[in-house]
Amino acid sequence: MGKSSGSKNKKKKDRVILPPQLPPELDDDEVVVSDEDLEFFGANDAHARALASLDRKSIDSYVTRVAHHVGDEVERLYEERERRRKAAEALRPKKDDDADLEVDRVDALPVKTLQGELVYNNAKKARFDDSSNGVETKSEDRGANAKQTLQRGERKSKSKSKKGDDKLQNDHAHTEAPNGKLQSKVLEEVKEELSAEELFEKKKAQLAEIGMSMLEDPEANIRSLNDMLHICNEKDQKVVKLGLMSLLAVFRDIIPSYRIRQLTDKELAVEVSKDVKKMRYYEYTLLRSYKAYLQKLISLEKQPTFHTLAVRCICTLLDTAPHFNFRESILASVVKNLSSPDDAVRKMCCETIKSLFIDEGKHRGEATIEAVRLIADHVKLNDCQLHPDSIEVFLSLRFDEDIGKDDSEEEKGKPKKNKRRQNQEVPKQLPVSDKKKAKQELISKAREEVDAELRAVSFTLDPKERRRIQKETLSSLFETYFRILKHSMHTNSRGKVINVSSDGSHPLLAPCLEGLGKFSHLIDLDFMGELVACLKKLSGYTDHYSEILHDNTLSVSERLQCCIVAFKVWRTNLEALNVDLQDFFVQLFNLILEYRPDRDRGEVLADALKTLLWEGKQQDMIRAAAFIKRLATFALSFGSAEAMAALITLKHLLQRNSKCRNMLENDSGGGSLSCLVAKYDPEAKDPYLSGALASVLWELSLLQKHYDSSVSSMASNILSMANLNPTQNPVPISNANPLEAYRDLSMEQELSKSANKVLQLKCKKMRRGKEFVALSPSVLQGSDCIANGDELKGKLQNHFAVLRGISENERLRAELNHTLSSINLYKEYKKQKKSAKTKSGKKKIVRA
């Protein structure tokens, strides 16, 4: 018995007694204070002070504590109690009678309402035995629902309405919680976009305000450059781009027209006025901000998103202020991008360098020589494997005609004065004291310093200084050109041409040859012979006419340019250069047969005909006849522009060599002139061994029926020369040279192509029907045409590939039209459904 009573007492001690719920807190407006309460507190001030001095926190912690438990475990006990209560209610069978009711001593205490009524609370308790654990559990309910109903009834109507609204809002929030979770991501993205747009507009307004203040008074607001540079360090790319463009506009307007030099220690030690200090501070801040801006541009140039913008800003700064500080860094960045794969960036850099070469008044030619040296180093570093535009900018350089003259030659050219007058003009030098000598030396030094400062500030150069700069520029230019020529040709110990570059690519050779042709009159005579020999090897000439250089990977256009450059060099130095150019005529004679209009440049061929045959002196009769016959064959084989250039050259040669007009005779025996070769060889390598004088220009009769009216009229004009005397010439149709005729006719063809496109599209079906002719197998077998099997196979594959592409395109278009029609039907269905809903809603509203 003792043990059982002891176990019961221990269970009672371990029982957890929770504190009762506190009465609800009321607002100050809801508390009604009577006159008696006021009189009581007025008479007993000490009681009120005692109540006010109580520690509310300690009282709350004492009231809400749980016996024999730490404060951190209270929440766990509450949760365990609720769990047990729910489990007991679920397991207990429902009964109508309340015989099994037990009241806890804490919950049994009555509660007094504001109206003075006492309310007794009961708590249901259900005991059950847990068979698995053997532990007796009890469920308790304190009648919290009854308390809440009584307390709500005690409140006023205002508090009830507020509580009801809050409860409805809470219920609505709980029901909309899942939808809010689904829309949270969308709302966050919208907020981020709105915040980014607001930030962009804010930064935009800030940059505009700072820029306007800088343009109004740069000296007073020079510190604002730091704020603009700080904006360029933002994370938003739009803000950074806007900041860079704003800084560019500001620097373009406030950069001075002189170069800011660094002050020496002596100048810093000297005391100066306030205006000078202000100006020094302005220049120092401007230079520091300009340097930071350039560093920012160079760093952003490496990023693909800012590459184009950074290069545009750098090019604009170089074009606007090439005289200002840090020009070397800007030039290095621009030269590096001359061979950029991006067409827009490369075009910007090329235009900037060209404007730098043309307008030398801004920088007195100093930036020109720096740019030429940088390009030369860039070509050397990349082993001549750059874009042609990188050295094509050299064509914009300008040199004085008297750049090759020495100072001694100029002095010799000046008229000498009479010795007597010279002696008379020189005054007798009197002895001068030491003080006067020192004074004169000081005056001369001061004058030299002033002259040096004026030269540094002024943009006009001394003639000697200008000549020196141009000589250095020219030497760097020809150094680059000769390096490209040497790279394009490798020779062995025997001096024979082995190959032209391992990969066969010479991107810089064409602009190099064009530049040599333009500046050929400035080349030193010591290099003329070597240059001509190099050009002869590059053109592919060989002493054995029967051999062909198959290992020469230069194109026909590049070899023609070598011949053009050699003739220009020879003509500018006729007296000093003793070179036989017969080899270049032989090479041109062979290159005419190798020309292909879809592969080579017709403009280069027309220029070669103009340089070698049109502008040259009177040709040898045999050589002229060979070129006349080959040009007539060439005109019959290619387009109208090339044919026109060839016919103009042919006419010029016939006018210069009247004996060659016998080739216009159409007798059965051919030409009436005798020559070394009695029979014409159309594939001869040497014009002297072709036997062209024994042939007849029958090609002109066919060219009279050419589809181009200008070509047919020119052929008729040439044929009319057969009936004229050798001293007479036909009426000239055109005074243009071969190059001008080629350009004019090619431009007309381009203009006519765009006009004929519409007609070709309209008549396409009709032409197909008219041109199609069905041939029988017997006719095909009896034809003499012989076609290569591989070539025919390739053409048929291309033809049927086009047909398959057309059918596939039609199928895809049909599917696209079907999809678009279904989408349009679905949109109409949605519109009808929406209109029906609106109509039904309006009817319900009207009924209500």
Side-chain angles (χ1 to χ4, degrees):
M1 292 294 292
K3 291 181 179 181
S4 61
S5 61
S7 61
K8 289 181 181 179
N9 293 332
K10 190 175 181 181
K11 287 181 181 180
K12 288 180 180 180
K13 286 181 180 179
D14 295 335
R15 182 180 177 184
V16 178
I17 301 175
L18 296 174
Q21 286 188 348
L22 296 175
E25 294 182 0
L26 299 177
D27 297 333
D28 295 338
D29 298 336
E30 297 177 0
V31 177
V32 180
V33 181
S34 61
D35 296 335
E36 295 177 357
D37 296 333
L38 291 174
E39 289 177 1
F40 176 78
F41 278 98
N44 302 294
D45 294 338
H47 298 288
R49 291 173 184 173
L51 291 173
S53 61
L54 293 175
D55 190 3
R56 297 181 61 185
K57 292 184 179 180
S58 62
I59 294 172
D60 292 341
S61 62
Y62 181 78
V63 172
T64 58
R65 80 186 193 284
V66 179
H68 306 292
H69 287 275
V70 188
D72 297 337
E73 298 179 0
V74 174
E75 186 175 357
R76 185 179 60 79
L77 292 172
Y78 272 99
E79 292 176 355
E80 186 178 359
R81 173 187 172 185
E82 187 69 18
R83 182 176 58 78
R84 289 177 178 178
R85 184 184 64 79
K86 289 181 179 179
E89 288 180 355
L91 294 173
R92 188 185 64 182
K94 295 182 179 180
K95 295 181 181 180
D96 296 336
D97 57 330
D98 293 331
D100 192 13
L101 279 178
E102 289 185 7
V103 180
D104 207 345
R105 288 180 295 172
V106 177
D107 295 333
L109 294 175
V111 178
K112 187 177 182 180
T113 62
L114 294 176
Q115 286 77 12
E117 298 176 358
L118 294 175
V119 179
Y120 292 91
N121 297 324
N122 297 328
K124 293 183 179 180
K125 287 213 172 226
R127 290 185 178 90
F128 63 95
D129 295 334
D130 194 354
S131 59
S132 61
N133 296 327
V135 181
E136 185 179 1
T137 59
K138 297 180 181 180
S139 64
E140 300 176 354
D141 191 355
R142 299 187 182 185
N145 295 329
K147 287 184 180 180
Q148 289 179 1
T149 52
L150 290 171
Q151 289 167 3
R152 287 175 185 172
E154 294 170 359
R155 295 179 183 177
K156 294 181 180 180
S157 62
K158 292 182 179 180
S159 62
K160 287 181 180 179
S161 62
K162 289 181 181 179
K163 292 280 185 178
D165 294 340
D166 293 339
K167 187 176 180 181
L168 289 173
Q169 289 178 1
N170 292 332
D171 295 339
H172 187 65
H174 284 298
T175 55
E176 291 185 351
N179 296 330
K181 290 179 181 178
L182 295 174
Q183 297 176 359
S184 60
K185 294 183 179 179
V186 180
L187 292 173
E188 288 177 0
E189 292 178 359
V190 171
K191 286 180 181 179
E192 288 179 359
E193 291 179 359
L194 291 174
S195 61
E197 290 179 359
E198 291 175 358
L199 179 62
F200 178 73
E201 294 296 332
K202 184 179 178 182
K203 296 293 182 182
K204 186 177 179 181
Q206 185 180 357
L207 286 170
E209 184 179 357
I210 295 173
M212 292 298 294
S213 63
M214 283 294 302
L215 296 179
E216 289 175 1
D217 192 359
E219 294 183 359
N221 302 309
I222 191 63
R223 294 183 179 177
S224 301
L225 290 175
N226 297 327
D227 299 336
M228 299 181 78
L229 287 170
H230 182 69
I231 292 174
C232 293
N233 295 325
E234 296 285 340
K235 295 182 179 180
D236 191 359
Q237 294 182 1
K238 292 182 179 179
V239 176
V240 175
K241 290 181 180 179
L242 189 63
L244 293 175
M245 295 301 293
S246 303
L247 275 170
L248 175 64
V250 170
F251 279 124
R252 286 180 63 184
D253 289 336
I254 68 174
I255 286 177
S257 60
Y258 56 90
R259 189 182 181 94
I260 299 174
R261 64 179 181 84
Q262 191 174 2
L263 299 175
T264 60
D265 296 335
K266 292 182 179 180
E267 291 175 343
L268 292 172
V270 176
E271 293 184 0
V272 293
S273 61
K274 291 183 179 179
D275 296 336
V276 176
K277 285 183 179 179
K278 187 177 179 181
M279 180 56 68
R280 284 183 178 178
Y281 177 75
Y282 170 75
E283 291 179 350
Y284 170 74
T285 309
L286 174 63
L287 202 60
R288 185 183 61 185
S289 302
Y290 187 68
K291 182 179 179 181
Y293 179 61
L294 288 179
Q295 291 175 350
K296 184 68 175 176
L297 289 176
I298 292 171
S299 63
L300 290 176
E301 185 187 356
K302 301 175 183 178
Q303 302 180 12
T305 53
F306 297 100
H307 179 67
T308 306
L309 179 63
V311 173
R312 183 183 290 112
C313 294
I314 291 172
C315 292
T316 307
L317 288 175
L318 182 60
D319 191 18
T320 305
H323 62 279
F324 200 59
N325 300 62
F326 309 110
R327 181 178 60 204
E328 295 80 7
S329 302
I330 300 175
L331 270 173
S333 178
V334 173
V335 169
K336 182 180 66 176
N337 289 301
L338 281 176
S339 57
S340 174
D342 191 354
D343 295 338
V345 172
R346 187 175 63 253
K347 188 177 180 181
M348 280 191 295
C349 295
C350 291
E351 292 297 330
T352 304
I353 296 295
K354 287 179 182 178
S355 66
L356 198 71
F357 290 162
I358 293 171
D359 191 7
E360 292 185 348
K362 295 180 180 180
H363 50 84
R364 303 186 305 171
E366 296 174 356
T368 300
I369 186 172
E370 291 177 5
V372 172
R373 286 174 178 172
L374 285 172
I375 294 172
D377 295 339
H378 193 51
V379 171
K380 182 179 179 181
L381 185 64
N382 291 276
D383 198 18
C384 301
Q385 298 300 318
L386 295 173
H387 197 275
D389 292 344
S390 57
I391 66 165
E392 196 176 352
V393 295
F394 286 157
L395 299 176
S396 301
L397 288 170
R398 296 178 180 179
F399 297 99
D400 297 336
E401 295 297 332
D402 57 346
I403 188 175
K405 295 181 180 180
D406 297 333
D407 298 335
S408 59
E409 294 179 1
E410 290 186 355
E411 291 178 359
K412 290 178 182 179
K414 291 181 181 178
K416 295 181 179 180
K417 294 182 180 179
N418 195 358
K419 290 184 179 180
R420 293 181 179 179
R421 290 184 179 180
Q422 260 185 341
N423 295 331
Q424 289 177 2
E425 288 177 2
V426 175
K428 294 182 180 180
Q429 294 182 356
L430 299 174
V432 183
S433 62
D434 296 337
K435 291 184 179 180
K436 288 183 177 180
K437 283 183 180 180
K439 190 175 181 180
Q440 288 178 359
E441 289 177 358
L442 289 174
I443 291 171
S444 62
K445 286 182 180 179
R447 285 178 179 174
E448 288 178 0
E449 290 178 358
V450 171
D451 292 340
E453 290 180 358
L454 286 174
R455 271 190 255 106
V457 173
S458 63
F459 289 104
T460 57
L461 271 177
D462 186 51
K464 293 182 180 180
E465 185 70 16
R466 177 177 175 80
R467 190 174 300 161
R468 182 190 65 80
I469 291 175
Q470 286 198 348
K471 283 184 178 180
E472 293 180 1
T473 305
L474 191 64
S475 63
S476 300
L477 173 66
F478 284 128
E479 179 187 353
T480 306
Y481 283 160
F482 293 153
R483 177 176 285 111
I484 295 169
L485 288 177
K486 288 180 180 178
H487 179 267
S488 302
M489 182 192 65
H490 299 288
T491 57
N492 61 357
S493 59
R494 297 180 182 178
K496 296 181 180 180
V497 178
I498 295 177
N499 197 358
V500 183
S501 179
S502 59
D503 55 351
S505 61
H506 307 284
L508 301 182
L509 183 59
C512 169
L513 294 172
E514 190 176 356
L516 285 173
K518 181 177 181 180
F519 303 115
S520 58
H521 62 285
L522 301 174
I523 301 175
D524 195 357
L525 293 175
D526 299 335
F527 303 102
M528 290 288 183
E530 186 179 355
L531 177 61
V532 172
C534 180
L535 292 172
K536 186 187 293 185
K537 291 178 181 179
L538 284 174
S539 64
Y541 174 77
T542 178
D543 295 334
H544 304 284
Y545 303 120
S546 60
E547 296 179 2
I548 301 175
L549 288 177
H550 296 287
D551 57 349
N552 197 334
T553 57
L554 290 181
S555 64
V556 174
S557 302
E558 290 171 345
R559 284 185 276 171
L560 286 171
Q561 280 184 331
C562 291
C563 300
I564 294 168
V565 172
F567 266 79
K568 287 183 178 179
V569 170
W570 173 72
R571 281 179 189 160
T572 53
N573 302 278
L574 287 174
E575 298 178 357
L577 194 61
N578 187 12
V579 179
D580 186 14
L581 298 177
Q582 173 63 23
D583 301 335
F584 292 99
F585 281 110
V586 173
Q587 190 61 24
L588 175 63
F589 187 73
N590 294 322
L591 288 175
I592 291 175
L593 289 179
E594 298 181 21
Y595 175 82
R596 298 293 179 272
D598 54 345
R599 181 192 63 189
D600 304 319
R601 294 169 57 190
E603 190 173 356
V604 177
L605 177 63
D607 192 11
L609 295 177
K610 169 180 169 288
T611 306
L612 275 71
L613 300 176
W614 175 274
E615 295 178 349
K617 61 182 181 178
Q618 187 173 1
Q619 304 288 339
D620 183 56
M621 184 180 64
I622 299 176
R623 186 171 63 193
F627 273 104
I628 288 171
K629 182 61 177 177
R630 183 148 291 186
L631 288 174
T633 308
F634 173 81
L636 192 64
S637 305
F638 297 110
S640 57
E642 291 90 346
M644 192 67 183
L647 289 177
I648 287 177
T649 309
L650 187 150
K651 181 183 176 182
H652 179 75
L653 292 175
L654 286 174
Q655 289 176 352
R656 289 288 187 91
N657 300 272
S658 58
K659 292 182 179 180
C660 293
R661 295 185 185 181
N662 294 325
M663 300 172 64
L664 297 172
E665 298 176 359
N666 290 328
D667 296 338
S668 59
S672 60
L673 291 176
S674 62
C675 60
L676 297 176
V677 182
K679 187 178 179 181
Y680 173 64
D681 184 9
E683 297 181 356
K685 302 297 179 184
D686 189 359
Y688 287 96
L689 302 176
S690 63
L693 288 173
S695 63
V696 177
L697 295 177
W698 54 268
E699 295 89 354
L700 296 175
S701 301
L702 296 177
L703 288 172
Q704 278 184 313
K705 302 177 182 179
H706 199 273
Y707 64 90
D708 197 334
S709 59
S710 58
V711 176
S712 61
S713 60
M714 180 58 69
S716 302
N717 194 328
I718 294 171
L719 283 174
S720 65
M721 296 173 67
N723 301 324
L724 299 176
N725 294 327
T727 57
Q728 294 179 350
N729 291 323
V731 179
I733 297 176
S734 175
N735 294 324
N737 56 40
L739 183 59
E740 293 175 354
Y742 176 84
R743 288 175 178 173
D744 295 341
L745 201 57
S746 59
M747 189 179 296
E748 290 178 4
Q749 287 177 355
E750 291 295 330
L751 294 174
S752 62
K753 280 181 182 179
S754 59
N756 293 333
K757 278 183 180 179
V758 181
L759 296 174
Q760 289 176 0
L761 291 173
K762 287 182 179 178
C763 302
K764 197 172 183 180
K765 294 182 179 179
M766 297 175 63
R767 287 179 181 178
R768 280 183 182 176
K770 291 179 180 179
E771 292 175 0
F772 180 78
V773 178
L775 296 177
S776 61
S778 59
V779 175
L780 291 174
Q781 289 177 1
S783 60
D784 296 330
C785 60
I786 299 172
N788 189 5
D790 296 334
E791 184 180 358
L792 184 61
K793 183 179 179 181
K795 289 183 178 180
L796 289 174
Q797 286 178 353
N798 295 333
H799 174 70
F800 288 108
V802 172
L803 292 179
R804 284 195 296 272
I806 292 171
S807 60
E808 183 69 14
N809 189 8
E810 292 175 354
R811 185 183 65 80
L812 292 174
R813 285 183 178 276
E815 291 180 1
L816 179 63
N817 294 331
H818 179 70
T819 307
L820 290 175
S821 61
S822 60
I823 290 171
N824 293 330
L825 289 173
Y826 179 74
K827 287 181 180 179
E828 291 179 0
Y829 167 74
K830 294 289 286 184
K831 287 181 181 179
Q832 292 177 2
K833 191 174 182 181
K834 189 175 181 181
S835 60
K837 285 183 179 180
T838 52
K839 288 179 181 179
S840 61
K842 288 179 180 179
K843 289 180 180 179
K844 288 180 181 178
I845 292 169
V846 171
R847 290 175 183 175

